Amino acid sequence: MPRIADSDSDDDTLKKPAQRAKGKAGKVKKHVRIEDDYNEDGNSLSEGDENIFSEDEERADSRPASSRKKKKVANTNLLGANGGYAWEEDIQRSWDLVKVDDEGSMAALVSSIIEARKKRASNKNMTPFQRGIIRTLILVLDCSDSMTEKDLRPNRYAMTIQYALNFVHEFFDQNPISQIGIVCMRNDLAHLISQVSGNPQDHIDALKNMRKQEPQGNSSLQNALEMARGLLLHVPAHCTREVLIVFGALSSTDPGDIHQTIGSLVQERIRVRVIGLSAQVAVCKELCKQTNYGDNSFYGVILNEVHFRDLFADAVTPLPVNKINKGFTLVKMGFPTRVYEDMPSFCTCHSKLMYGGYFCPNCKSKVCSLPTVCPCCDLMLILSTHLARSYHHLMPLKTFQEVGVAETFPSETCFSCQKRFPRLKNHKSHELLTSSRYRCADCHRDFCIDCDVFIHEILHNCPGCESSPDV
Amino acid sequence: MDAISDPAFQSTKSLKTAAEELPSLLTVIVDTTPKLWAELDKESGQNKNLIHTLQSLIVFLNAHLTFNSANQVCVIAAHSKGIKYLYPTTTVSSKENGSIKQNGDLKIISNNMYRQFRNVDETVLEELYKLMLEEKNAEIVDRPQKSTLSGAMSAGFTYINRTIKEQENTSLKARLVVLTCGSSSEKDEIFQYIPIMNCIFTATKIKCPIDVVKIGGSQESTFLQQATDATNGVYLHVPTTEGLIQYLSTAMFIDPSLRPIIVKPNQGSVDFRTSCYLTGKVVAVGFVCSVCLCVLSVVPPGNKCPACDSEFDEHVTARLKRKPVVPNSVAKKKRKPES
Amino acid sequence: MSSAPFKATVNEYLEDLPPQVQSRLYTSPATCLAIYRLLPKLAKFFIMSMVFNENDVSLRDLDRWVQSNGKFQLNEAIKSMKSLHLLIEGRSEQPFMINLNSIFRSSFRNALTGGEVNNSFGNVVENEHEVVLPEMLDQYAANKWESILHFMVGTPLTQTPSRNVLSLLQHSKLMEENNTGELQITNEGFQFLLQDANAQIWTLLLQYLRLAETLQMDPVDVLNFIFMLGALELGKAYSDSHLSDTQKIMLQDMRDYGLVFQKASNTSKFYPTRLAAMLTSDSMSIRSASSAMNTVLSQGTSSNSKADDTTAASDGREQDGTQVGIAARNIPDGAVVLETNFKIYSYSNSPLQIAILSLFVHLKARFSNMVTGQITRESIRRALLNGITADQIIAYMETHAHPQMRRLAEQTLDKKLELDPNCKEGLQILPPTVVDQVKLWQLELDRIINYDGYLFTDFDNSQEYSLLCDYSNDIGVLLWKDDKKRRFFVSQEGNAQVIDYAKRKLKKK
């Protein structure tokens, strides 16, 4: 929910004043214009600054001057329906979207909504990048007074912790050889919640303990970033260094110059991603832009709970490797063998008695679980399955194309699950709304929407391509 | 109020839930490539290995259906040209409408059998018959062909996903059984490493154990072993098809709801090590390219990764090549007291 | 969840049979199949592993096969198998070696492999010209069965059930004759009404079995027929040529219950209905006869339109393409939503369900697809006074709970387990406030507890009083005392002791 901004922040829902002056001439036209001017990088800022005075004069009579209006790149998604601020438009009731067609049946509409939602879920960027697979991520959570707001249920703090728990699960699921550390910002200080390690259980226990503390005080970005820098200091060159900040406040109380900190972060090639909970804060935007080589897409402000979850999920996929930040190296790793024992013996990492474990090939000491760093000889120990888990990031499955509506189709049932394709007809015109078929570009087999989502999110194998015997 | 919290009042619900029988879905993947079975016949000196296997499989399907009246079955065959669903089938057949079973079936199975079994068995055998006819008439290709097993497993998972979504109210548990035969060369399997690993991760995610029965052959199939190990399944290597039904009805019969309490047959050691990309040797300590994740046993010449051609940092590779050095002074000092 | 009690009753009946009768039972493969399905899971697993294995198995091996947390289930399984005489002493003389009952083994193998089945699974009539639609069968079954239930509840009916049924109801003490000679429902009858359809059918069939024994009908034949009915396929015609005479008589009776359908009384073909197919099934998806009808009717309209599509006849769950909204289809009829403010909403249209609900719910409004009401003190008292217990009411609501409530309960349980893995609470489908309140209302009826005993009064002096009082307190038979008025009350069993003691002590004086 956008708020009245204070001096530090800029409101992203501002649109260019030029359009406003044209009056409310049809929504479509305005949107098109905005898309033309929308740029990926922040270059439009400079032109905007020049125009500001002329536009201010233009608008002086049309709007009460409540804030400076820089010509910002307007995000089409955030723009209100009639071209104004998001809070100015009429309340959108969810039941208005649903219209009952002539025969009183909503079946076709419901199913097309379901399909559209699923399609959106499966539409991700699928070009194969080179990505940094071995990652070290510091998760910084805001525990200041602003987190007691109840705009997220039950309050921001509880929801953040819940989503952080899910994030830790997902992160270790997708990146088994990576590590996480957790820091919180509280009472103008930064506290270390959980050490940098590759064991998800420690982090989960630490996060659950955090639930018992109440958020308090102000948040300090600089302290948190300095602490993160310290934690990432000893990370070897082949790992990517990342920081994910969940920031709910609108300001930051810092002991020194935060721009110096940002400079040192850039020098050490640490990449920062920020999820804002209330409104856009200029210093966060600056931080993300500089540490990510001018890419603006790493700072996101949430619109609602679902968006919050999506932003968290974006942080799970590995970052593409940048030309500047090469860091290709060979990493020395060990592949231990599993051993079964009749008598229990101690493991070297926790000194616990257990039956069986894994022997480090270098120093032959026993460790209990993988992946881990051998405590004796500092060699990273993994199983080949952990490497295999990340393969699908490097060689992603191509998205399936939707087959256009036609009179007849070559297939009646989905190739992989044998479900019959539904015939969703528009009741008035008796035309097919959608063919419900999704075709793989390589093997030309059709799949249903459920299989499509399942294949792209969980399986990462196309059954059609796999079942053809040709090499 | 204390009377309410009297334990006599608390119904023994925990026992009830233990007695609740959850239905389960059994998906069987059968590898029916004729080439493999022919090799097995030659090696073992017996004919009709495939027929025996199929007989045992049918009885196994019946046994699964007896376990719980709400159990379901799915059979997929991975043959030389692709995959085929043996049951349930949705073939648009050219037979007359209505009462297909009565008029059109080949009556392979006696009519007096329990209907539930008979329907499943009849369908499986009919489809298999059709499949074998197609195989017979198929052209022989000279190109190297890879096994379609991973495709069948992927299709099996999508079927499981679909069935669970459709029947959300009855909590259905799923499991996958793979029947394959031996003497598959190791080279074949390299092609399937990544797809099978993806299948393994899918199975762990949807909590579906994978059981494998491998008939004949001298080597263990390492990928399938890893699959059963990671998903809490059972791996059996059986020398011949004799007595296959005993194996199927004991070790392979463990229902997902019984898995927590039944002791599984021990697998022994599973080899998780990969082989080097350059030399092909099995690697215990190796180097991993951080970009493409290929495993190498030596630092590659030219400082370039052979798989992705990305250049490595000079300093790092130099450091990796360094060997431990013992300084001379220490050695000299030690000698003096001895002499 | 209420499959457990019905299984328990059937199991008890089977276990009570003498071993010779059991052996005769095991010659029929259909019976073996049905009995197999009644066993607990672990027992099924063991039996399956021994079916294809002729050798003896030692009990210790079975023990080692189960991990330590499954020992309770292991004992349960072995007990049930032994009581049905499925496990017998091994042929070799070593102790603790057991083997599977060979008769059972051979018939079970025949069932699995399709060997000599000997009409145990019924004879399908080939080349059936007159096709009987499943919808018609379901309607017939629903009508017959619900007329019985309606009769019990007391709704006015156009067609009363046949005399045989009425006499069965009377014998099983579900209804009794009151003063005016009419049949009135008893407490057990109320409890019967609250069970789900499967349990109800089995209760009646077990009563029928007991009745059959007195009528000199062979229980083996009767059981075989019942289990055979459970194994028949819906919608196919079966001939009765291979049935014994006993079984032919039973066929007529089964018609009255709605388990089979015959076009006329003397034709040789009969069609099993869904109620019969449900006999040996475990599924919870069909809870009442009318819900079966409703589900079939909703599928029936789509099945007519797919006459040109050919889907596998065996996989009857294939749906036509235009059906959208899978979730809506799976709501069972009679699904009940219970709120924490004691309001109840039941998505049901059948008069029977509504009548059953009205036994303990104060119904307020009826809509086209649902009924609303509230659980009040009066409504619960009315039910309690009729003999229904609070546990049955709670069990009924739990079994008929809407799937949404179940899902919600599972979610809260997951959250609780996440916060505290040691929490031992089970799944709370119904709101605990309502559950506790119903139990409290039941307790209200138990305000007075009666004890029989003896009152001691009129003591001469306080020493005597305190002497006897302390003694009776020491031996633990004192129930109440009043020191001011020097009276105390002793239970019946302890009275003799106190009197002996008093005589001894007072004699001395």
Side-chain angles (χ1 to χ4, degrees):
Chain A
M1 281 179 283
R3 299 246 184 90
I4 305 285
D6 62 8
S7 54
D8 264 350
S9 65
D10 284 317
D11 203 352
D12 217 17
T13 57
L14 294 178
K15 33 149 276 306
K16 297 178 199 138
Q19 280 105 32
R20 203 122 212 274
K22 298 230 158 110
K24 302 185 181 178
K27 314 170 192 175
V28 178
K29 195 171 166 196
K30 289 202 173 72
H31 280 273
V32 169
R33 178 173 285 266
I34 292 164
E35 269 170 5
D36 286 340
D37 297 338
Y38 178 63
N39 286 334
E40 187 79 43
D41 51 3
N43 287 340
S44 60
L45 255 182
S46 46
E47 7 168 292
D49 281 337
E50 293 160 25
N51 289 341
I52 193 171
F53 299 110
S54 55
E55 278 161 355
D56 260 335
E57 285 156 13
E58 248 183 83
R59 279 178 302 98
D61 45 356
S62 61
R63 278 194 109 259
S66 58
S67 45
R68 314 166 318 251
K69 292 189 177 32
K70 289 208 179 101
K71 186 172 179 183
K72 296 286 250 176
V73 283
N75 197 341
T76 49
N77 291 336
L78 297 177
L79 206 62
N82 50 2
Y85 291 101
W87 63 81
E88 285 178 339
E89 61 185 30
D90 283 333
I91 299 176
Q92 220 179 25
R93 299 183 180 86
S94 53
W95 57 83
D96 285 343
L97 287 176
V98 177
K99 294 188 200 69
V100 177
D101 60 12
D102 289 345
E103 284 158 42
S105 145
M106 295 195 282
L109 187 67
V110 167
S111 55
S112 60
I113 291 181
I114 293 174
E115 291 228 3
R117 210 185 303 155
K118 287 188 192 168
K119 250 187 275 183
R120 224 183 312 144
S122 64
N123 238 358
K124 278 189 227 153
N125 189 6
M126 279 300 160
T127 49
F129 281 126
Q130 281 177 347
R131 297 177 188 263
I133 297 290
I134 311 176
R135 313 162 68 183
T136 315
L137 180 106
I138 306 289
L139 178 64
V140 177
L141 297 176
D142 186 359
C143 301
S144 60
D145 279 332
S146 58
M147 296 298 274
T148 52
E149 286 286 335
K150 294 204 174 20
D151 56 353
L152 297 171
R153 303 271 151 212
N155 57 20
R156 282 187 191 171
Y157 186 62
M159 172 157 274
T160 306
I161 300 231
Q162 182 56 46
Y163 281 171
L165 280 170
N166 295 343
F167 173 73
V168 168
H169 274 296
E170 275 293 313
F171 186 83
F172 281 109
D173 191 52
Q174 295 289 323
N175 307 284
I177 44 183
S178 310
Q179 296 181 320
I180 282 190
I182 308 184
V183 171
C184 84
M185 298 188 282
R186 206 163 180 265
N187 276 333
D188 312 326
L189 296 174
H191 300 277
L192 184 66
I193 300 287
S194 165
Q195 290 278 354
V196 173
S197 88
N199 183 359
Q201 200 51 44
D202 294 339
H203 300 304
I204 290 172
D205 292 334
L207 280 173
K208 287 188 182 166
N209 272 338
M210 259 182 92
R211 278 191 177 143
K212 300 181 189 150
Q213 291 175 325
E214 284 297 314
Q216 239 186 2
N218 295 327
S219 60
S220 163
L221 261 186
Q222 189 181 9
N223 284 335
L225 287 173
E226 289 290 341
M227 178 170 265
R229 247 186 77 206
L231 289 172
L232 290 173
L233 199 57
H234 296 289
V235 165
H238 58 83
C239 303
T240 65
R241 302 170 188 189
E242 303 169 41
V243 181
L244 173 64
I245 306 182
V246 176
F247 197 58
L250 289 174
S251 59
S252 163
T253 7
D254 299 329
D257 186 5
I258 194 167
H259 295 285
Q260 250 186 354
T261 312
I262 297 182
S264 47
L265 286 178
V266 174
Q267 255 188 340
E268 296 181 6
R269 291 180 292 162
I270 298 178
R271 301 182 69 162
V272 179
R273 183 193 279 265
V274 178
I275 299 178
L277 297 185
S278 33
Q280 196 181 41
V281 180
V283 68
C284 290
K285 192 164 164 148
E286 173 87 14
L287 170 67
C288 292
K289 193 167 152 200
Q290 288 205 0
T291 51
N292 287 301
Y293 314 104
D295 189 353
N296 257 339
S297 64
F298 284 85
Y299 181 30
V301 179
I302 65 168
L303 295 171
N304 47 37
E305 294 177 6
V306 181
H307 193 207
F308 192 7
R309 205 158 12 124
D310 289 341
L311 285 174
F312 248 127
D314 280 344
V316 172
T317 50
L319 296 170
V321 164
N322 209 298
K323 287 259 184 301
I324 311 169
N325 171 25
K326 263 211 189 155
F328 304 155
T329 40
L330 280 182
V331 187
K332 189 169 186 189
M333 290 195 185
F335 295 90
T337 48
R338 185 191 242 168
V339 100
Y340 294 99
E341 288 174 341
D342 288 333
M343 307 293 294
S345 57
F346 288 106
C347 75
T348 48
C349 34
H350 306 105
S351 303
K352 262 194 315 193
L353 269 183
M354 44 185 335
Y355 287 93
Y358 301 91
F359 276 155
C360 166
N362 220 5
C363 61
K364 307 284 184 287
S365 50
K366 190 174 94 154
V367 291
C368 48
S369 66
L370 296 180
T372 184
V373 175
C374 172
C376 302
C377 60
D378 243 1
L379 180 67
M380 177 124 213
L381 296 175
I382 54 170
L383 290 175
S384 51
T385 44
H386 298 135
L387 286 180
R389 206 185 266 250
S390 309
Y391 281 149
H392 70 86
H393 291 302
L394 302 175
M395 285 164 283
L397 195 58
K398 285 194 215 156
T399 34
F400 294 162
Q401 267 94 35
E402 185 179 353
V403 172
V405 176
E407 281 300 317
T408 55
F409 300 99
S411 59
E412 284 296 318
T413 57
C414 167
F415 177 74
S416 58
C417 68
Q418 304 284 302
K419 189 159 83 158
R420 192 164 276 277
F421 289 120
R423 286 203 202 99
L424 301 169
K425 294 203 172 141
N426 189 342
H427 278 266
K428 283 187 239 172
S429 56
H430 288 285
E431 281 170 3
L432 284 181
L433 284 173
T434 157
S435 70
S436 316
R437 289 160 170 78
Y438 299 86
R439 188 166 290 174
C440 167
D442 293 325
C443 59
H444 305 292
R445 307 264 194 198
D446 293 342
F447 299 95
C448 63
I449 184 67
D450 290 318
C451 289
D452 190 4
V453 171
F454 182 71
I455 288 172
H456 283 102
E457 286 187 0
I458 302 182
L459 188 53
H460 302 290
N461 262 349
C462 167
C465 302
E466 292 304 324
S467 48
S468 82
D470 302 319
V471 164
Chain B
M1 286 310 277
D2 289 341
I4 297 288
S5 47
D6 192 332
F9 248 122
Q10 306 289 358
S11 48
T12 49
K13 282 198 191 131
S14 52
L15 283 182
K16 265 195 206 166
T17 46
E20 220 183 292
E21 310 254 344
L22 298 170
S24 73
L25 165 65
L26 171 74
T27 313
V28 182
I29 316 270
V30 190
D31 195 352
T32 54
T33 23
K35 182 160 163 268
L36 293 176
W37 288 101
E39 281 179 16
L40 181 66
D41 277 351
K42 226 184 343 176
E43 277 181 14
S44 61
Q46 282 174 337
N47 276 340
K48 298 195 186 171
N49 270 326
L50 181 59
I51 307 280
H52 292 157
T53 314
L54 289 170
Q55 283 171 341
S56 311
L57 175 68
I58 301 265
V59 180
F60 179 55
L61 292 177
N62 291 345
H64 179 79
L65 288 172
T66 347
F67 196 82
N68 188 328
S69 56
N71 274 359
Q72 295 174 40
V73 167
C74 165
V75 185
I76 305 179
H79 60 103
S80 60
K81 297 285 177 232
I83 64 172
K84 187 176 166 72
Y85 268 82
L86 294 182
Y87 182 87
T89 171
T90 54
T91 45
V92 182
S93 57
S94 54
K95 302 173 186 159
E96 292 92 28
N97 299 330
S99 63
I100 297 179
K101 285 290 154 229
Q102 289 279 351
N103 298 335
D105 63 352
L106 304 178
K107 308 249 183 140
I108 300 177
I109 297 197
S110 131
N111 223 355
N112 282 334
M113 201 178 183
Y114 181 39
R115 292 313 288 196
Q116 204 185 7
F117 296 166
R118 185 176 187 275
N119 289 337
V120 174
D121 299 344
E122 188 70 35
T123 317
V124 170
L125 288 177
E126 271 182 37
E127 293 296 320
L128 200 60
Y129 185 67
K130 278 191 252 174
L131 176 67
M132 288 303 166
L133 283 178
E134 279 172 24
E135 290 266 28
K136 203 165 101 171
N137 301 334
E139 44 172 276
I140 302 179
V141 180
D142 257 345
R143 299 190 296 268
Q145 305 261 297
K146 71 171 164 71
S147 158
T148 51
L149 197 63
S150 54
M153 284 170 73
S154 311
F157 283 125
T158 53
Y159 183 81
I160 291 177
N161 181 44
R162 168 201 168 191
T163 317
I164 291 187
K165 283 247 165 64
E166 277 182 357
Q167 301 184 14
E168 259 177 323
N169 283 337
T170 57
S171 46
L172 204 62
K173 300 226 173 201
R175 69 186 183 108
L176 196 84
V177 175
V178 179
L179 273 179
T180 175
C181 74
S183 65
S184 60
S185 50
E186 194 65 30
K187 271 209 186 132
D188 231 5
E189 300 208 14
I190 295 285
F191 285 120
Q192 300 186 70
Y193 180 59
I194 296 176
I196 290 198
M197 291 315 263
N198 282 335
C199 289
I200 296 177
F201 298 135
T202 313
T204 38
K205 187 122 194 229
I206 61 177
K207 299 204 181 49
C208 164
I210 300 181
D211 300 323
V212 173
V213 178
K214 187 170 153 110
I215 307 175
S218 52
Q219 301 164 320
E220 305 292 356
S221 163
T222 42
F223 300 147
L224 292 178
Q225 258 185 328
Q226 286 182 24
T228 54
D229 187 68
T231 57
N232 197 20
V234 179
Y235 178 88
L236 271 188
H237 187 182
V238 179
T240 62
T241 53
E242 284 179 33
L244 184 64
I245 184 61
Q246 282 188 331
Y247 290 108
L248 288 179
S249 62
T250 50
M252 292 288 144
F253 199 63
I254 311 177
D255 199 57
S257 43
L258 284 177
R259 261 171 220 259
I261 56 174
I262 296 279
V263 173
K264 290 194 327 262
N266 196 3
Q267 266 210 46
S269 59
V270 180
D271 197 356
F272 281 107
R273 301 175 291 182
T274 48
S275 45
C276 165
Y277 192 82
L278 284 178
T279 58
K281 283 190 301 188
V282 171
V283 154
V285 177
F287 303 99
V288 176
C289 166
S290 61
V291 174
C292 64
L293 296 182
C294 69
V295 182
L296 306 162
S297 56
V298 290
V299 178
N303 280 345
K304 266 191 172 198
C305 169
C308 64
D309 278 341
S310 44
E311 300 198 2
F312 298 128
D313 199 13
E314 284 283 334
H315 300 289
V316 177
T317 42
R319 204 155 26 116
L320 287 172
K321 283 187 192 164
R322 257 192 341 213
K323 295 218 183 226
V325 171
V326 178
N328 284 333
S329 50
V330 178
K332 281 183 191 159
K333 276 184 189 163
K334 269 202 173 161
R335 274 194 216 133
K336 277 183 186 170
E338 284 174 27
S339 59
Chain C
M1 259 160 288
S2 51
S3 63
F6 101 74
K7 275 188 191 172
T9 44
V10 177
N11 263 334
E12 278 168 22
Y13 180 79
L14 290 172
E15 288 164 12
D16 286 337
L17 294 174
Q20 298 88 351
V21 179
Q22 284 178 349
S23 311
R24 278 179 54 209
L25 266 182
Y26 296 150
T27 47
S28 150
T31 320
C32 292
L33 207 61
I35 292 181
Y36 178 80
R37 281 191 174 154
L38 293 175
L39 295 168
K41 281 188 298 209
L42 203 52
K44 286 187 199 172
F45 176 70
F46 285 143
I47 289 188
M48 187 58 76
S49 49
M50 288 196 279
V51 164
F52 291 103
N53 184 8
E54 309 264 337
N55 301 334
D56 291 346
V57 176
S58 92
L59 270 176
R60 214 163 288 150
D61 281 341
L62 288 185
D63 196 43
R64 266 191 257 150
W65 212 342
V66 179
Q67 290 178 12
S68 44
N69 52 350
K71 291 303 175 199
F72 172 72
Q73 292 191 34
L74 175 67
N75 288 336
E76 213 183 86
I78 294 190
K79 211 170 23 150
S80 59
M81 287 196 285
K82 278 214 169 130
S83 59
L84 286 173
H85 293 101
L86 291 172
L87 286 187
I88 53 181
E89 295 294 319
R91 267 168 294 188
S92 55
E93 293 305 318
Q94 293 163 358
F96 295 120
M97 298 293 277
I98 48 169
N99 208 338
L100 193 60
N101 187 330
S102 46
I103 308 175
F104 184 84
R105 177 193 286 132
S106 47
S107 0
F108 197 64
R109 262 198 223 173
N110 282 337
L112 283 181
T113 55
E116 313 157 358
V117 167
N118 292 337
N119 312 315
S120 166
F121 290 107
N123 285 352
V124 181
V125 171
E126 309 284 342
N127 301 324
E128 180 57 36
H129 297 295
E130 314 158 358
V131 173
V132 178
L133 295 173
E135 295 91 42
M136 205 224 83
L137 285 175
D138 280 336
Q139 220 163 10
Y140 174 79
N143 279 340
K144 280 274 176 181
W145 184 250
E146 297 209 339
S147 66
I148 300 179
L149 294 181
H150 272 298
F151 179 74
M152 289 178 72
V153 174
T155 50
L157 288 174
T158 50
Q159 204 184 25
T160 53
S162 77
R163 222 167 25 88
N164 288 341
V165 175
L166 293 182
S167 65
L168 186 70
L169 286 176
Q170 215 173 348
H171 267 281
S172 50
K173 300 204 181 48
L174 293 177
M175 301 193 77
E176 61 189 2
E177 272 200 20
N178 61 3
N179 325 353
T180 59
E182 284 178 4
L183 287 181
Q184 206 183 30
I185 192 165
T186 62
N187 292 347
E188 284 89 13
F190 274 118
Q191 294 175 6
F192 175 78
L193 279 180
L194 288 184
Q195 294 171 333
D196 69 321
N198 219 351
Q200 286 172 338
I201 297 182
W202 272 109
T203 318
L204 278 188
L205 284 178
L206 284 174
Q207 285 301 326
Y208 185 84
L209 265 173
R210 295 206 175 97
L211 203 61
E213 280 175 21
T214 58
L215 290 178
Q216 305 295 328
M217 287 161 72
D218 189 4
V220 174
D221 269 342
V222 175
L223 277 172
N224 277 343
F225 187 70
I226 294 178
F227 289 131
M228 184 188 93
L229 274 183
L232 297 179
E233 189 177 347
L234 188 60
K236 293 242 182 309
Y238 289 85
S239 87
D240 62 355
S241 41
H242 295 273
L243 299 178
S244 71
D245 293 329
T246 330
Q247 293 175 336
K248 284 196 181 140
I249 302 176
M250 280 188 67
L251 193 61
Q252 304 299 322
D253 290 328
M254 293 297 138
R255 264 183 57 201
D256 291 328
Y257 301 141
L259 288 177
V260 302
F261 168 69
Q262 262 184 323
K263 291 247 171 85
S265 328
N266 49 5
T267 54
S268 59
K269 295 187 289 232
F270 66 93
Y271 302 83
T273 65
R274 199 173 288 270
L275 288 178
M278 252 169 50
L279 274 177
T280 51
S281 91
D282 279 335
S283 74
M284 287 287 115
S285 54
I286 298 178
R287 289 208 204 92
S288 69
S290 57
S291 76
M293 195 166 75
N294 284 345
T295 42
V296 168
L297 282 178
S298 65
Q299 289 177 10
T301 47
S302 58
S303 70
N304 284 334
S305 62
K306 60 178 180 181
D308 5 339
D309 305 342
T310 45
T311 55
S314 53
D315 191 9
R317 293 182 208 98
E318 289 288 323
Q319 294 295 328
D320 186 28
T322 51
Q323 281 225 3
V324 171
I326 298 176
R329 251 204 332 260
N330 280 349
I331 297 177
D333 182 63
V336 161
V337 177
L338 178 61
E339 290 185 322
T340 52
N341 55 2
F342 291 79
K343 288 207 177 141
I344 262 197
Y345 308 89
S346 168
Y347 290 89
S348 158
N349 244 338
S350 79
L352 184 69
Q353 297 284 353
I354 298 175
I356 292 182
L357 268 184
S358 69
L359 288 175
F360 61 90
V361 172
H362 174 58
L363 291 175
K364 286 199 175 158
R366 181 171 177 177
F367 300 93
S368 64
N369 66 338
M370 78 172 190
V371 173
T372 62
Q374 192 165 17
I375 294 187
T376 63
R377 183 167 175 272
E378 280 75 30
S379 68
I380 295 285
R381 274 179 74 86
R382 202 176 56 217
L384 291 172
L385 288 173
N386 272 328
I388 310 176
T389 66
D391 284 330
Q392 284 166 345
I393 296 177
I394 293 169
Y396 179 83
M397 286 198 288
E398 263 187 13
T399 45
H400 290 250
H402 197 277
Q404 195 71 19
M405 286 180 70
R406 194 174 290 270
R407 249 175 268 153
L408 212 67
E410 279 168 12
Q411 281 172 6
T412 38
L413 187 65
D414 283 338
K415 276 197 198 141
K416 268 191 217 156
L417 281 178
E418 209 184 287
L419 281 177
D420 174 23
N422 293 332
C423 146
K424 286 207 197 335
E425 288 180 28
L427 204 59
Q428 278 177 344
I429 303 180
L430 303 175
T433 45
V434 181
V435 171
D436 285 343
Q437 186 62 1
V438 171
K439 290 184 186 166
L440 273 176
W441 279 328
Q442 177 174 288
L443 274 187
E444 269 183 7
L445 293 182
D446 298 336
R447 299 170 76 173
I448 300 178
I449 308 177
N450 295 329
Y451 295 100
D452 287 333
Y454 293 86
L455 178 69
F456 287 70
T457 63
D458 290 341
F459 286 93
D460 294 334
N461 48 22
S462 55
Q463 280 104 351
E464 275 185 23
Y465 166 74
S466 49
L467 188 66
L468 281 184
C469 183
D470 291 337
Y471 174 75
S472 50
N473 202 7
D474 287 336
I475 59 174
V477 297
L478 180 70
L479 289 175
W480 170 82
K481 65 176 181 182
D482 184 357
D483 286 333
K484 273 199 192 149
K485 299 194 182 165
R486 292 194 220 140
R487 304 192 274 191
F488 65 90
F489 192 84
V490 165
S491 71
Q492 194 156 19
E493 307 84 38
N495 187 42
Q497 285 175 307
V498 176
I499 290 181
D500 281 337
Y501 181 79
K503 281 191 190 149
R504 273 181 294 152
K505 285 289 171 183
L506 297 175
K507 258 194 195 156
K508 284 182 191 169
K509 289 189 184 170

